[in-house]
Amino acid sequence: MDIQMSLHHLLAAYGEAMDNGHKELVEVIIRSIKGKINPFGKFAHFAVNSAIIKVVPNDAQTIHIVDFDMGQGIQWTPIIKAMGKRIKALRFTSIKKTEEESTSDQWRFEKTKKRLVDYTNLFGLRLQS
């Protein structure tokens, strides 16, 4: 699908989500639009993941990753998959940008945490908290 057509559909979905008050869907659509317009974020995740995988010693039992914008956590799926063959546990620390914490932020964090726990279990890893 060409980028103009894809952006057209994303913008239409954004308008509909805004009209219907679906704030979380709006955030997902905005991230998708940013990814279409500026693919450097994907490259940055790839570069960071590759660097982490390369420097983790083969005898490491656990690695600890600090993330300043965890979002949905999908940027870490390649690390989880690669590390499942080499280590026993992962630990993520998510640092929030603001002091404010709303109920929806906490709900989103718990949903992300559950998704990461489920995904790490697929590869025989334990996600430490």
Side-chain angles (χ1 to χ4, degrees), residues 67-115:
D67 191 330
F68 290 91
D69 190 10
M70 181 68 73
Q72 295 179 348
I74 59 173
Q75 68 273 28
W76 298 116
T77 56
I79 289 280
I80 292 168
K81 188 174 182 180
M83 291 294 119
K85 301 170 188 159
R86 296 175 47 193
I87 65 171
K88 294 181 180 174
L90 279 172
R91 181 176 187 154
F92 290 104
T93 298
S94 178
I95 298 176
K96 292 180 58 106
K97 292 180 181 179
T98 63
E99 293 293 320
E100 296 177 24
E101 184 174 316
S102 68
T103 304
S104 66
D105 288 339
Q106 185 62 33
W107 177 82
R108 190 175 319 122
F109 174 78
E110 292 300 326
K111 189 174 177 183
T112 297
K113 182 179 174 183
K114 180 179 180 349
R115 186 174 25 256

Side-chain angles (χ1 to χ4, degrees), residues 17-53:
M18 286 293 288
D19 289 345
N20 293 322
H22 299 288
K23 290 172 31 175
E24 289 184 19
L25 180 56
V26 167
E27 290 176 24
V28 170
I29 293 169
I30 288 172
R31 278 194 295 275
S32 295
I33 291 171
K34 286 179 181 177
K36 298 282 185 199
I37 294 171
N38 183 2
F40 295 115
K42 290 179 185 176
F43 176 75
H45 288 152
F46 172 78
V48 167
N49 288 343
S50 297
I52 292 170
I53 291 166

